[in-house]
Amino acid sequence: MSHDEESAAPQAVRISSTAGQLAGIAPLLASAKASAGDVPALLALAREAGSAAPRPGEGATAFLWEILASVTAVDVAAGRVLEPHLDALAILAQVRDTETGAAAPAAGSAAGRTWGVFAAEAAGMRLEAKADPRADGGFVLHGSKPWCSLAAQLDGAVLTAHVEGQGPGGRPARRAFAVDLRDPGVTCEVPEWTSRGLREIPSGTVTFDGVPAVPVGEPGWYFERPGFAWGGMGVAACWLGGAVALARDFRSALAKSAAGGREPDQIALAHLGETDRILASLTQYLARTAARIDAGGLTGSGAWSEALRVRGSVAAAVERIQTLVSQNLGPGPLAFNDAYGKRMADLSLYIRQHHAMRDDAQLGALVLKGDHGW
């Protein structure tokens, strides 16, 4: 990367906003660039962004996704820190909006804190929530939760735990809770994080021993609410931002070669053209989907099937763009360009949150039941 590229102001990722609207996030992008690799600084950035960023479904969903995509285009790890923090705040706000209009008990303490969202499960590991006889309506947590990114550095988390009873399909019931990660009953494992991707964001197991927890919605609400699907699409917006950054790397490399007298051949131009087609298609798709969310058109059973379409489309596009760019640029930037190599490694790990054909199989089952638009 040249000195000019290093010193250039970060560029926003446009989905549907005007250039003037996107200019307002320039300070956030500059902070993300300055904070790259510095987790406390990235958490401070997330906390600050959380006080101003819109919530999904409140009329500015596309702008929220532009924030997520733009920060991730600057630094994939920065987007990976920001997204769950904003998602946790949205979850707490959705509880307020879907019940009596009053804030959820945990929502009042959300501001000014850093949050994660921990909903993963793993074989041989179980987190249980039981009613706390000492606190009216309160619960205590016992057990372990896997894949808790940055838990030791966060203030709190929205997480899922098993409760008594059965959920849909006879599966064990799970409920969401807000928990203080600074409680003395919380033990954060130091994981053996060998990944070259997202090295500053290790994900380990957290153990809870009698930790107080505040219910967030009724049993099953966390997964049934439309915001679950909206949040999944927010992650896809981050993936899109990483792909846009790679496309910019590709275009810049070809332009630099052309300026030095080596014009790109037809294969390189065809691959750049394909990359442009992919990104244009994705941004238009996300713009339409965000508009549908804000218009109240994705609140029912079709919300999750649409999330599966969005996530699958973006994940496939990211992998295709990674292939096109790496084949054209070759081993050089992977070996000698730290920013490019980090972006490739970070994005390769991040995109694995998509479950590939298993998610397509889930979508296929929904389509078979009639959930499609064709």
Side-chain angles (χ1 to χ4, degrees), residues 16-308:
S16 63
S17 296
T18 66
Q21 291 169 324
L22 291 175
I25 66 172
L28 174 66
L29 302 187
S31 295
K33 183 175 182 178
S35 303
D38 184 343
V39 172
L42 291 176
L43 289 171
L45 179 148
R47 186 167 53 244
E48 181 179 353
S51 65
R55 307 279 184 253
E58 294 185 356
T61 301
F63 187 54
L64 168 65
W65 291 352
E66 286 166 333
I67 291 172
L68 291 170
S70 299
V71 169
T72 310
V74 174
D75 175 47
V76 175
R80 179 65 182 82
V81 171
L82 178 62
E83 184 278 324
H85 175 74
L86 296 185
D87 190 34
L89 296 180
I91 292 166
L92 297 174
Q94 287 158 10
V95 174
R96 177 199 64 211
D97 292 341
T98 56
E99 294 184 347
T100 64
S109 62
R113 310 182 77 211
T114 53
W115 289 83
V117 178
F118 306 146
E121 299 280 318
M125 203 173 294
R126 184 179 175 91
L127 180 63
E128 294 186 340
K130 295 187 177 181
D132 184 356
R134 301 165 299 177
D136 183 26
F139 286 74
V140 289
L141 301 177
H142 291 274
S144 299
K145 197 74 171 167
W147 291 102
C148 298
S149 301
L150 294 178
Q153 300 184 61
L154 297 172
D155 297 313
V158 174
L159 51 74
T160 56
H162 292 267
V163 294
E164 293 183 357
Q166 288 188 332
R171 295 186 296 271
R174 284 192 285 167
R175 188 174 186 178
F177 296 89
V179 61
D180 181 358
L181 292 175
R182 307 295 185 183
D183 188 275
V186 176
T187 302
C188 300
E189 169 196 81
V190 179
E192 295 182 11
W193 193 251
T194 62
S195 172
R196 296 299 184 267
L198 298 175
R199 298 192 70 168
E200 58 269 72
I201 309 179
S203 296
T205 298
V206 177
T207 301
F208 299 85
D209 184 11
V211 177
V214 178
V216 178
E218 296 300 319
W221 173 85
Y222 175 85
F223 297 102
E224 295 166 1
R225 65 195 165 91
F228 181 68
W230 304 344
M233 288 186 264
V235 174
C238 292
W239 299 341
L240 170 67
V244 168
L246 287 178
R248 291 171 178 170
D249 289 337
F250 187 19
R251 182 188 177 281
S252 294
L254 295 184
K256 183 178 179 181
S257 293
R262 184 179 179 181
E263 294 291 337
D265 61 18
Q266 283 188 309
I267 292 175
L269 290 174
H271 284 176
L272 183 61
E274 181 181 348
T275 298
D276 177 74
R277 282 194 294 104
I278 290 170
L279 293 177
S281 173
L282 284 180
T283 53
Q284 290 166 15
Y285 183 18
L286 263 65
R288 292 195 304 271
T289 304
R292 289 180 63 196
I293 290 173
D294 290 334
L298 280 178
T299 58
S301 60
W304 183 240
S305 59
E306 196 61 36
L308 290 169

Side-chain angles (χ1 to χ4, degrees), residues 322-358:
Q322 284 185 302
T323 297
L324 293 172
V325 174
S326 62
Q327 285 182 351
N328 276 275
L329 300 189
L334 287 172
F336 301 111
N337 186 324
D338 182 62
Y340 172 88
K342 181 181 186 302
R343 184 173 294 123
M344 274 288 193
D346 287 350
L347 192 54
S348 294
L349 181 60
Y350 198 1
I351 202 70
R352 290 279 57 83
Q353 285 190 5
H354 182 249
H355 302 131
M357 284 191 289
R358 288 179 176 84

